[in-house]
Amino acid sequence: MKLREDEVLVPAPGGAIRSVVLRPVGDDPLPGVLLYTDIFQLTESTLRTARRLASAGFVVCVPEIYPHGDLAGVALEFDDDGKRAGLAGAAATTTAQFDADRVAVLDFLALRADTTTLFATGFCIGGHLAFRAALDPRVEATVCFYPTGLHNGALGADADAGSSRSPPRSAAGS
């Protein structure tokens, strides 16, 4: 299947979020998927996963999870230095920042003429972020792959992000 792959800047309160949007070639409206990366950001392995999802008939948006600091625009290597940098990026990001970015990306997907329903998925810290996306009533379903910190509530800079509590669902998702 032929795919279209575009790098876009999603407007957000903290600054634009570099993202990659993938979809099958054509104009038919399709379900949208917010795909969260692990701590290594927009690596080729994550983009392969996004391509598989797009090939199955989805509009897939893969945002950087650290779009506002030193790691903006950086795909980290799968080595000790990359792991340290990714963990430091997580430790410097609050739940409120992650949530604001999520709302911005979901707004971006919801406003696209080529998306219908919205879904979320993610890996590692991205699995935890996908779980939090489920709190947004626009998100129909999520799949969370080994969601780091969900068991104890830790997310980024926050020891307890409140993810396992049951907050009321709101349009802002927080």
Side-chain angles (χ1 to χ4, degrees), residues 43-92:
T43 61
E44 186 55 35
S45 63
T46 297
L47 293 174
R48 278 194 304 272
T49 299
R51 290 179 191 116
R52 279 188 229 116
L53 279 170
S55 293
F58 294 94
V59 176
V60 182
C61 183
V62 191
E64 289 187 329
I65 60 171
Y66 312 126
H68 309 299
D70 293 341
L71 295 179
V74 178
L76 299 168
E77 295 294 327
F78 291 108
D79 59 18
D80 289 340
D81 288 339
K83 181 178 178 182
R84 274 191 291 280
L87 291 172

Side-chain angles (χ1 to χ4, degrees), residues 108-174:
F108 168 78
L109 275 172
L111 291 172
R112 289 178 61 102
D114 65 345
T115 59
T116 57
T117 53
L118 297 178
F119 302 99
T121 190
F123 298 85
C124 201
I125 191 172
H128 193 151
L129 296 173
F131 182 87
R132 292 187 65 79
L135 302 175
D136 188 306
R138 299 174 292 178
V139 175
E140 297 290 325
T142 60
V143 178
C144 308
F145 294 95
Y146 47 95
T148 301
L150 190 58
H151 68 291
N152 65 5
L155 178 61
D158 298 315
D160 185 2
S163 300
S164 60
R165 291 191 293 273
S166 298
R169 289 171 57 105
S170 69
S174 52

Side-chain angles (χ1 to χ4, degrees), residues 31-50:
V33 177
L34 166 53
L35 170 60
Y36 280 114
T37 70
D38 54 22
I39 62 169
F40 298 97
Q41 298 222 91
L42 292 173
T43 61
E44 186 55 35
S45 63
T46 297
L47 293 174
R48 278 194 304 272
T49 299

